[in-house]
Amino acid sequence: MPERKPRKDAARNRQAVLAAADALFARGESPEGVTLAAVAAAAGVGKGTLFRAFGDRPGLLRALYEARLEPVRKAVETGPPPLGPATPPQQRVPALLDTLLCFKLDNRRLMLALEESGSSSPYQADHYERWHGLLDTMLGQIPGLTDSDFTAHALLAATRADLVEHLAGHECVPRERMRAQLANFTARVLDSGPVRGLANEG
C-alpha cells in the first residue's frame, strides 16, 4: 500500500493549485479557458491531486473565491464601520454593495466562472444565499422599508457578475462611475417607500 503524503505536502499542493488558478484567471481571456487540466499543469501537480483536494471545477472555484473573499468576510463579521456589525443598516447596506461590486470588478473572470458553474440556479449557490441573507437582515432593520427579501434580491442583481462584465467589458463604464451609479441606485431604493396601490398585492 503506498505511503500517504504528509499533511504539509497536501497543504502545499492546495496552495500551489489555488495560486495557479488565481494566476490563470488573472491573465485569461475567458473563464471557460481555465480548465482543471490547465490548473494542474500550472501548479505542477497531477489531476488526481487536484480532484482529491477540491473534488471538481466548481469545488476549486468555490475554494478560490473563499480564499480571495476572506478579508471581506472578516470585515463584515467583526470589522469596524462601515462594513462591521456595529454600523447602522442605512450606512452598512451601501457599503456592503459597494464592496461586493469592487470585489467582482477585481475578480471578474473568477466571478463569472463561479456564477456560471454547476447546473443549479445561481440563486441557490451558497455564496449568493449568504449575501442575500445578510442583506435581508440589514434591510429588515430599516424603519419604513418593506419587503426586505425581494429588495435584497433586487439590490444584489445590480452586482451580478454578468452585469458587471457587460458594463465594464462591453460598455467600458469606468469603475468609479459604476460605483457612483450603484450608490445612487441603492440610496433611491432605501429612501423610497412602497408604491401606492401595489404594496399589498400578491
Side-chain angles (χ1 to χ4, degrees), residues 60-71:
L60 172 60
L61 295 176
R62 288 191 297 270
L64 183 55
Y65 166 78
E66 293 294 343
R68 286 192 181 182
L69 190 73
E70 183 65 12

Side-chain angles (χ1 to χ4, degrees), residues 38-57:
V39 172
V45 301
K47 286 184 69 175
T49 298
L50 195 151
F51 279 113
R52 283 192 296 274
F54 302 100
D56 53 16
R57 188 171 184 270

